[in-house]
Amino acid sequence: MADLRANYGVDAPGVLTGLAAGGVAELAVAAVFFGIGWPIPAVVLLLGGIMLVIGAALFAHTTLRGKFHVWDAELDRLRLKGDERVLDLGCGRGLVLVKAAARVPGGKAVGLDLWTRDQSGNSQDAAWANARAEKVADRAELVTEDMRRLPFEDGAFDLVVSSLAVHNIPDAEGRAAAVREAFRVVRPGGRIRLADFRNARDYAAVLRECGAADVQVYDLGWRFWYGGPHARTSMVAARRP
């Protein structure tokens, strides 16, 4: 039997395809314009095509490698003891869930999702397959629920994480409800880490309203750029007093 290999898919594959295809198309048309002696539009298209191709390369790096390194570093900084309960909101195919589970051999990592958005092959079966491949299925649990209405008791988790999921909620009040729920289910002294490329400062404001301590918003660097600095990812960090 072949070895199981984890496969975390591609974030927003349509966007990546569009960047790559658009870049190649602009470069092809630029070559034609150079050939027929139209240098000015050719240069414009050449520069545009180069920018799109670079954006596609950055996007591909982030979704296939960069975010892995960033989350490893973030979780390592938390210095988990190994017996914590961790909740991953919008876990998708389980990248952050699996990384958290690997750090809590005596604890539990719970992934919650509706399995509908923004990632190729997003499904509960895919998340389970990755947990098995990474040998953490024994300490993982998957739940199909809405992050705006979490089915957990107050203070049920030591750590709540989320990666590029809260922004999928279309309305501001719904996103605020999800952040309030994250705060509700983390225990006193527990921590929250929400990574997103939109609305990070709004999430921080909601956490401050809830009474969170040590609220910070910081940039996660070029490894978490979805095509360029215009789509950089920020981390919202907080602690429940």
Side-chain angles (χ1 to χ4, degrees):
M1 182 176 177
D3 291 339
L4 288 173
R5 292 182 180 274
N7 180 354
Y8 296 103
V10 175
D11 298 325
V15 176
L16 176 57
T17 300
L19 285 171
V24 170
E26 289 200 11
L27 292 175
V29 175
V32 171
F33 282 2
F34 275 119
I36 63 177
W38 292 0
I40 293 177
V43 169
V44 172
L45 286 168
L46 175 64
L47 294 175
I50 290 171
M51 293 302 294
L52 287 173
V53 169
I54 291 172
L58 286 168
F59 194 114
H61 172 78
T62 289
T63 193
L64 297 175
R65 180 172 296 182
K67 66 180 182 181
F68 292 61
H69 296 299
V70 171
W71 272 108
D72 276 330
E74 290 293 319
L75 292 169
D76 286 346
R77 277 195 288 273
L78 290 170
R79 298 182 181 275
L80 299 175
K81 295 181 296 181
D83 61 353
E84 290 89 348
R85 286 179 55 83
V86 182
L87 173 63
D88 182 5
L89 298 175
C91 67
R93 296 176 65 118
L95 172 65
V96 183
L97 175 74
V98 164
K99 289 183 176 298
R103 290 165 169 81
V104 291
K108 176 73 74 173
V110 179
L112 178 141
D113 208 319
L114 292 174
W115 322 104
T116 57
R117 289 178 179 266
D118 267 6
Q119 191 176 50
S120 63
N122 186 23
S123 71
Q124 190 174 104
D125 287 344
W128 272 126
N130 286 331
R132 290 192 295 270
E134 304 281 13
K135 297 180 172 54
V136 298
D138 61 322
R139 70 200 73 150
E141 179 182 343
L142 298 177
V143 178
T144 302
E145 291 288 352
D146 192 317
M147 69 178 75
R148 292 167 290 188
R149 296 178 294 276
L150 296 178
F152 309 113
E153 297 179 356
D154 296 357
F157 296 93
D158 301 283
L159 172 65
V160 177
V161 297
S162 181
S163 188
L164 301 165
V166 180
H167 77 269
N168 286 320
I169 299 172
D171 59 290
E173 181 49 43
R175 293 189 293 272
V179 175
R180 285 193 290 267
E181 281 289 270
F183 184 79
R184 179 183 68 78
V185 300
V186 75
R187 67 167 178 80
R191 293 168 288 183
I192 296 172
R193 296 293 184 272
L194 309 177
D196 220 328
F197 67 94
R198 296 177 188 159
N199 314 307
R201 298 198 178 278
D202 295 338
Y203 306 162
V206 172
L207 287 168
R208 290 188 183 100
E209 291 171 3
C210 290
D214 304 329
V215 180
Q216 302 176 60
V217 178
Y218 51 90
D219 183 68
L220 291 174
W222 70 272
R223 288 180 178 273
F224 228 136
W225 285 3
Y226 282 92
H230 61 285
R232 62 169 59 98
T233 304
S234 296
M235 181 68 80
V236 182
R239 176 179 58 84
R240 181 164 186 167

